[in-house]
Amino acid sequence: MRKVLIVEDDRFISAIFSLFLKDLGFEIIGRCKTGEEALQQSRSRNPDIVLMDIHLEGDVDGIEAAEKIQREYEIPVIFVSGDTSSEVVERAVISNSYGYLVKPITKKELGITMELAYYRHKADLDQKRREQSFRDYISKAPIAIVIVQKGMIRYLNNLALNLFKTHYMEDMIGANLTDFVDEEWVAKAEKVFKDENSEEIQPFYMVIKTFHQKRVKVFVHASRISFYGSSAFQLMLVEVSGYMAQIDELKKWREAALSGMGAILLINNLFEVVDYNKTFSDYVSPAFDMRGHSVFTLRPWMKFDKGALANIFNNKEKDSNVELSIETNSHFLKCCGLVLRDRDGQPEEMIVVINEAVEK
């Protein structure tokens, strides 16, 4: 049996409503005259439906009370009033009530409205719970998720916020996704999200920018979903910056191994020798193990242009291949330097490969 709270300051009308509702099979759990009492009894008795007059005694009218009851206690409210003025009706509509009955009303009319309100509210609660479950699932998902609707970012989960290097969703919500896509990849992103009729979206690679404009390489799995009743895209982003950096470095090592005369030297960004092979050592003929020593302390066995070497490690450009020369006691060496960068794109080490050796 569904429980009803009647809020009506006219005792005679309140009694009629009580008779109607009892005949219809409802349980009357309370009757009150003011908005303040309605709030109190809604909190303490938790009715299934509130039947609310609009013009009540006290400082809180029926519409104001209904808004608080529906917002704070999730109880549906049906208005009953003899006032049909546009101002009152507009306020009632904005309050998201579940019905508006104009006095005098019949028992049948009341019964139909009560049933419709009850089941509509139940459906609303079910939808709200599903949406909350969906939001909880996304928020706790072990992958960065971004929802994009009409090109705009509508939602991000916690891992996505971490990926974009911000703690505040307000920094991202409402912005165009392309504002956070590297310029070279904007056309690719726009093409993917332009075709709203495509049934399947192939995973793709893209470079995004964080909130502070740092480039991050990601692999994107995109799918079409419904978000608040409208078509949207759900993007699952996997950062692959470290993986791609490793691939790039492997390519450079391969290039170093297959190019030149096979003489290889590895130095770090502190200009210290990390390693070298025997072929390189044969050209330099050092009297000791050079590993751990600064290349600038290895004269006369090996002479670098200090300024040129410093410029190489200060180079922020994407091109990591540079030319440089080394002078030894016996040769002039024309070399290619392959700069190895860390996952943040900063120069970390350099492979020096001899391309040509000219005897003195």
Side-chain angles (χ1 to χ4, degrees):
M1 184 178 294
R2 289 186 276 280
K3 302 175 294 183
V4 181
L5 171 64
I6 299 174
V7 187
E8 170 63 62
D9 57 3
D10 187 310
R11 294 179 61 185
F12 177 70
I13 295 177
S14 178
I16 293 176
F17 289 162
S18 296
L19 291 173
F20 282 175
L21 291 170
K22 287 179 181 178
D23 287 345
L24 292 166
F26 292 91
E27 177 187 356
I28 311 301
I29 63 166
R31 291 162 58 179
C32 55
K33 298 181 179 180
T34 68
E36 292 88 347
E37 290 178 304
L39 290 168
Q40 182 181 358
Q41 293 200 33
S42 294
R43 179 175 61 251
S44 62
R45 300 194 177 189
N46 192 31
D48 295 313
I49 306 175
V50 174
L51 196 62
M52 177 81 71
D53 188 17
I54 290 178
H55 299 295
L56 299 170
E57 298 176 1
D59 297 329
V60 179
D61 70 4
I63 295 178
E64 185 178 351
E67 289 174 340
K68 292 182 180 180
I69 290 169
Q70 292 179 141
R71 181 178 62 251
E72 297 178 13
Y73 311 124
E74 294 188 332
I75 300 170
V77 177
I78 298 172
F79 291 122
V80 183
S81 177
D83 191 342
T84 58
S85 63
S86 58
E87 179 182 354
V88 171
V89 171
E90 183 177 350
R91 283 186 62 207
V93 170
I94 295 174
S95 72
N96 293 319
S97 70
Y98 283 78
Y100 193 105
L101 294 172
V102 180
K103 298 175 183 177
I105 62 173
T106 65
K107 180 168 66 175
K108 183 177 181 180
E109 181 183 12
L110 178 60
I112 292 172
T113 304
M114 297 287 283
E115 290 295 328
L116 287 174
Y118 177 80
Y119 285 105
R120 179 190 153 199
H121 181 255
K122 187 175 182 299
D124 288 346
L125 284 182
D126 289 343
Q127 178 66 19
K128 185 177 180 179
R129 302 291 185 266
R130 285 194 296 270
E131 290 176 355
Q132 185 61 49
S133 297
F134 178 67
R135 284 193 293 270
D136 290 343
Y137 165 76
I138 292 180
S139 297
K140 299 174 183 178
I143 192 171
I145 297 178
V146 180
I147 294 179
V148 178
Q149 197 170 50
K150 295 183 178 179
M152 298 180 67
I153 297 173
R154 296 293 306 278
Y155 180 80
L156 305 89
N157 70 350
N158 294 331
L159 287 182
L161 290 174
N162 292 339
L163 181 62
F164 285 98
K165 307 301 181 186
T166 178
H167 298 294
Y168 305 105
M169 197 173 294
E170 294 78 9
D171 290 339
M172 310 285 295
I173 295 296
N176 289 321
L177 175 67
T178 52
D179 291 344
F180 296 94
V181 175
D182 187 75
E183 289 76 8
E184 295 182 14
W185 297 89
V186 168
K188 171 69 175 179
E190 290 178 339
K191 182 179 179 181
V192 170
F193 303 123
K194 183 178 180 180
D195 186 6
E196 297 187 356
N197 296 318
S198 175
E199 292 296 327
E200 183 178 359
I201 303 172
Q202 294 297 325
F204 60 95
Y205 170 78
M206 185 169 69
V207 178
I208 63 173
K209 296 183 294 186
T210 68
F211 186 69
H212 301 291
Q213 302 300 298
K214 180 181 176 181
R215 299 172 77 251
V216 177
K217 299 173 182 179
V218 296
F219 198 68
V220 184
H221 295 266
S223 59
R224 192 166 289 101
I225 64 170
S226 177
F227 187 74
Y228 286 104
S230 299
S231 177
F233 292 94
Q234 176 178 270
L235 311 183
M236 295 186 179
L237 309 179
V238 180
E239 182 179 0
V240 293
S241 298
Y243 172 76
M244 296 302 293
Q246 291 177 1
I247 295 297
D248 290 341
E249 302 318 293
L250 286 173
K251 289 179 180 178
K252 290 173 186 176
W253 278 106
R254 181 177 183 274
E255 182 180 348
L258 296 177
S259 64
M261 300 174 65
I264 298 175
L265 168 71
L266 181 64
I267 61 177
N268 62 25
N269 55 12
L270 298 177
F271 311 112
E272 298 169 338
V273 176
V274 176
D275 208 349
Y276 54 92
N277 64 359
K278 183 179 183 304
T279 306
F280 189 90
S281 178
D282 290 342
Y283 282 110
V284 178
S285 299
F288 53 89
D289 190 339
M290 297 186 294
R291 296 174 183 86
H293 291 270
S294 168
V295 296
F296 304 123
T297 65
L298 293 175
R299 297 173 182 248
W301 298 282
M302 183 167 59
K303 298 178 183 178
F304 274 89
D305 183 330
K306 185 175 182 179
L309 200 59
N311 287 335
I312 291 172
F313 277 108
N314 289 329
N315 179 24
K316 307 299 182 183
E317 301 299 324
K318 296 178 182 178
D319 186 6
S320 298
N321 298 346
V322 294
E323 294 182 357
L324 68 158
S325 299
I326 303 175
E327 182 182 353
T328 72
N329 286 328
S330 58
H331 290 81
F332 292 105
L333 306 177
K334 293 183 179 181
C335 306
C336 173
L338 304 175
V339 178
L340 306 179
R341 300 177 184 272
D342 61 22
R343 64 181 298 165
D344 295 325
Q346 301 301 313
E348 189 173 40
E349 294 179 329
M350 181 170 65
I351 308 170
V352 179
V353 181
I354 297 178
N355 288 331
E356 183 180 354
V358 180
E359 291 188 20
K360 287 186 175 180

